[in-house]
Amino acid sequence: MTEVREPHTHTVAVVGAGAAGTLTAVQLCETATRRRTPLDLVLLDPSPEAGRGTAYATRDPRHRLNVPAGGMSCYPDDPGHFTRWLCRHGEPAVTAADFATRYRYGAYLADTLAQAIVRAQGTVSVRRLRTRADSCTDTPDGRVDLHLADGGHLTADGAVLATGPAAPSADWAPPALRASDRFVAAPWSTGALDGPRSDTADILLVGTGLTAVDLALTLDRPGRTVHALSRRGLLPQPHALTPAGPMSPPEGLDDTSLGRLRRAVYRHISRSVRTHGDWRPALDSLRPHTTRLWHSLTPEDRAEFVAREGALWNTHRHRMAPATAESVSRARTARRLGIHSGTVTDAAEHDGLLVVTLSNGRTLHVGWVIDCTGPGRRYDDPLWRSLLASGAAAPGPLGMGVATRDGRLLDAEGRAGRPLFTLGAPRRGELWETTAIPEIRVQAAALARQLLAPLTRASRPSRRPVDGHGLPLSTHAEAAAAYRSGLDRVLKVRAGADDAFARAVGLDPGFALGHAALALLGHECGADVDVPRALAEAQRSALERADERERSFVDVVTRRVHGDCADGGGGALVRHLDAYPGDALALAAAVPTIAFSGVTDLDGDRALRLVERTSAAHDGHWFHTSLLAFLRQEQGRLHEAGELAHRALAAEPASGHAVHALAHVHYESGAHQAGRDWLDGWVAGQGRGAVHRAHFSWHIALHELALDDPAAVRRRWFAQLAPGRVVTGVRALVDSGSLLWRARLSDSWLGELPAADVLDTVAHDVLERPATAFTALHAAVALAAAGDLPALHRLRDHASGADEVQREVIVPLCEAFAALVEERFHEAARGLDALLPVLRRVGGSAAQREVVEETLLYALVSAGRCDAARRLLDSRLDRKEAPRDRRMRAGLPA
């Protein structure tokens, strides 16, 4: 007998630990943890492992999901979660369009639940009882008492019946067939297929849906014919090998009759075939609206739809993976799989075989008949029987599933009085489409909110901790202290900010601002952060516990990560700063400096006005002064910028932004020797903890290039900028790669150029599918340095379909670089010269964009256009003195 202790906190029981129960348990754990709501969660299921149920226990590798990996995440707001899990667990090349095996998905569900339980420790107590619930009764205090199969009982404040689909009834089978030992009524139960596997006789599968497809593959073998029978003989349609683009749903579907709806949908499908060459986009576009359309129909219309279109809908809506469809096609071509339409009218045993008579007049001699008709309409297990018999539950519409309202069970009189809930297949009569993971995960999240709503504290504490600039934080003191440490490190451009923010959300998993800061650092700075996960956590937490400023910042980060706006969320960020000018992290993200790419459509004057508008809120703070110094040097007001940078450094010697501004002042004013010596000293001292130390080393190397000291450049590159050992990722691309190219262009690098080392440390997507024009510029530079023409063309193709700046600047830049690699120097020079006036649009600093001007100079000299090269060098020397440029000008032929 199971020993069950009395609950001391709010108890929720989840009956069933298959996919629906696991998703519910994950959401309960994570929602309770975010809300800091103590919870006793009890999982009731006799299975040895949570997450598998019937659907995901099969070990046959031919049994694949019928939804691509991109649609199978546990989280409705983080669609890539399953794909990323596969990448981390031995399938690094998997994409969102791939179809994983069902067994792998079961492992994913189990692992996701285990991780949620670990993160919930201290808030949620999770127990697993390896037994079934046989009945359920009310308690006097409004709770429910679950009576267990082992004789124990469990009293809970609420219960979720995640029992999955109803078992097949086999009502279609003649009595003689049901009584036969060669009839398999439950093919997924342990050992059910042992007989058919060991036998060599033909087999009849009754049903032609996804279950029949899986079993046909399992039982396929040379010399055997597997017959599959259904009323219409329709197999599931395959998914497209290359999915077409999305399609908008048809208009005018509200409050319509079945006849009008049918005509509208068929017109919509015809339009999809004309425009996409495929019917699938039309059907997929209806998915978000299926429940609303189902509710709009009368009971009579629903019954007619199920009778007339139900099978057609299911075969087109619930499709096979392409690999599965190919295997089925091969088996049919080889006549090892036969599809029949009709029903079984009679069956008798003869000479060790079953002689099965079909309604179409055909007779089959088979060794086994397997019920693949799929879920039944009515629940017949002990728990549901007791609920239906007592009136605590009622059959659902059209006799499908049970009656519910927003997941809560309705009793025989239509009332939702008991704290009993369900999701997935039992809600089929209410929702129609409710058995797939994309629907179940949404229901699980909604149930978690509903079950925990009575426990959530209604009011925020009167006194909240603040960040380092006096803005209140929706968290407790310990998490706020960790957040302040992270913010301070971001503003100083020092390492460890991501660790501090991670510590903050570890202390308070519902701290929206901490999650948003992590997502921002991962997206912008290459921090080791699961950005989609952090962003989803920020969004969930913001809905539950955040003030207006914090919700606004989460929205800004969401837009920035998703690229919803052409400016990378710039409009939202500027509006946020107008409303909350004291938000230092938002200001850091807005101004393009060393830490963040900034708002790309802010020219120098607009960025300066933005910083000036926020000056009163920062009251001379060293961070604000540092940003102002950087923008002044961008204006060419170098003396003023230097004074501001020194003022900020006097208040905070570790201010990386002030150091960065001063580095630009030295470079743009031509003070190369003084700039090199001062910055070298800072990097060796206060700069040892700088997160972007390589960028400061890049600035020192620029001075050494300008001083025409190739040996120093080479030493600097190997000691402080060599990719892999010292610098990785985007930083290696932006700093190490561009420095190599500039050294090559000015004859300051002798011997083989190690450009391949830079490419090897940068992710493939960053090189050929960069998210920003700034990254794309440096990807083009690195690919040109490596002479990789095919990759340059792929980068150009990506840019042609990306945002406006990439289309108008990066595309011609790639074409000019390609011309340079192919030694079409006149063409390269024309293209690069035309780009100089618009190059500012890619973002970054003038010193970073200068690489394009230096490439133009190289193209002009190589094309023999020495007069144009001389004019360009004269204009450069007018801006700032540089011994290297003097040497190059003197070397030009008259």
Side-chain angles (χ1 to χ4, degrees), residues 52 106 114 228 249 275 286 360 383 387 444 487 529 579 586 601 611 684 690 745 759 784 849:
R52 295 208 177 274
T275 56
L286 297 175
N360 60 16
L383 175 59
L387 291 170
L487 178 59
V529 175
D601 74 339
V611 173
L745 295 174
L759 301 184
R849 297 188 299 269

Side-chain angles (χ1 to χ4, degrees), residues 719-742:
Q720 298 176 359
L721 288 161
R725 293 187 300 106
V726 182
V727 194
T728 59
V730 175
R731 194 82 268 169
L733 183 69
V734 171
D735 295 328
S736 309
S738 67
L739 179 68
L740 271 184
W741 183 239
R742 292 168 84 152

Side-chain angles (χ1 to χ4, degrees), residues 429-465:
E430 177 196 0
L431 304 176
W432 177 243
E433 279 294 338
T434 180
T435 57
I437 293 296
E439 283 77 33
I440 295 174
R441 66 191 181 194
V442 172
Q443 296 172 29
L447 277 186
R449 294 191 295 269
Q450 192 173 351
L451 285 159
L452 297 175
L455 307 177
T456 304
R457 287 177 291 222
S459 59
R460 185 185 291 120
S462 56
R463 292 195 62 182
R464 290 187 290 160

Side-chain angles (χ1 to χ4, degrees), residues 108 180 205 229 246 248 326 554 570 578 652-653 701 725 756 774 789-791 837:
Y108 162 70
S180 173
L205 309 176
L229 170 75
S248 300
E326 184 180 350
V554 170
D578 286 340
E652 177 48 73
R725 293 187 300 106
F774 177 76
L789 273 174

